[in-house]
Amino acid sequence: MRVLIADDSEIIREKLKDLLNDVEGIEIVDIASDGLESVEKFWKHRPDIVLLDLNMPKLDGIQVLQNIKTNEFPMVVIVITNYCNEYYREVCFQHGADYFLDKSKEFFKVYEICEQLILEKKQQDSVN
């Protein structure tokens, strides 16, 4: 599965990249450091999974969701943020986020979710 990492923190981008390097079946297709770049790189690569921060320059994560989440192109969006209040959670889900994780407490769940998505894809492919 192809992954786009979108976060304005270089440290977080590197940590996510390192975390996902251990997941068999994951290919990181690109990395974006702001919201506008995230949208551009999404439409360029059309990844299966987007790891998305909320607080980014140029466009925030909610604006990115509004620009990329469509019914015509299925993907999984994992919002991973420090802004973990109920308002942001609700708005993200309204705009199509599939997961909403707290960076400070749930960072490593990204690994588990990606492994589960790979497993589900393999099972689906074996049925088809």
Side-chain angles (χ1 to χ4, degrees):
M1 296 185 87
R2 302 167 70 239
V3 176
L4 171 65
I5 297 172
D7 197 297
D8 63 327
S9 167
E10 184 176 353
I11 293 169
I12 297 296
R13 292 191 307 265
E14 287 301 316
K15 284 184 176 184
L16 286 168
K17 196 166 80 170
D18 290 345
L19 182 70
L20 294 179
N21 278 336
D22 294 335
V23 181
E24 185 178 328
I26 290 289
E27 172 194 1
I28 298 170
V29 294
D30 218 332
I31 296 174
S33 61
D34 66 55
L36 187 58
E37 184 181 31
S38 302
V39 172
E40 291 168 355
K41 289 183 175 186
F42 171 81
W43 288 109
K44 177 181 177 184
H45 298 289
R46 299 192 181 197
D48 304 299
I49 301 169
V50 178
L51 302 179
L52 181 62
D53 185 21
L54 285 184
N55 186 24
M56 292 188 292
K58 298 185 183 175
L59 295 175
D60 65 30
I62 294 167
Q63 292 169 311
V64 172
L65 269 171
Q66 292 170 327
N67 279 277
I68 67 171
K69 195 69 177 194
T70 68
N71 290 332
E72 71 184 66
F73 187 74
M75 92 221 46
V76 173
V77 176
I78 303 170
V79 172
I80 181 164
T81 183
N82 287 319
Y83 294 89
C84 289
N85 64 47
E86 203 51 45
Y87 169 77
Y88 285 119
R89 178 182 300 276
E90 187 177 310
V91 170
C92 287
F93 285 133
Q94 286 174 354
H95 289 290
D98 299 284
Y99 298 90
F100 188 92
L101 303 178
D102 182 337
K103 269 185 194 175
S104 65
K105 298 176 186 171
E106 301 174 300
F107 188 86
F108 293 101
K109 281 191 177 183
V110 171
Y111 183 94
E112 297 168 17
I113 292 167
C114 288
E115 277 195 324
Q116 183 62 37
L117 292 170
I118 293 290
L119 179 63
E120 290 170 8
K121 184 173 181 357
K122 285 179 181 177
Q123 290 171 345
Q124 186 181 35
D125 289 349
S126 70
V127 171
N128 295 333

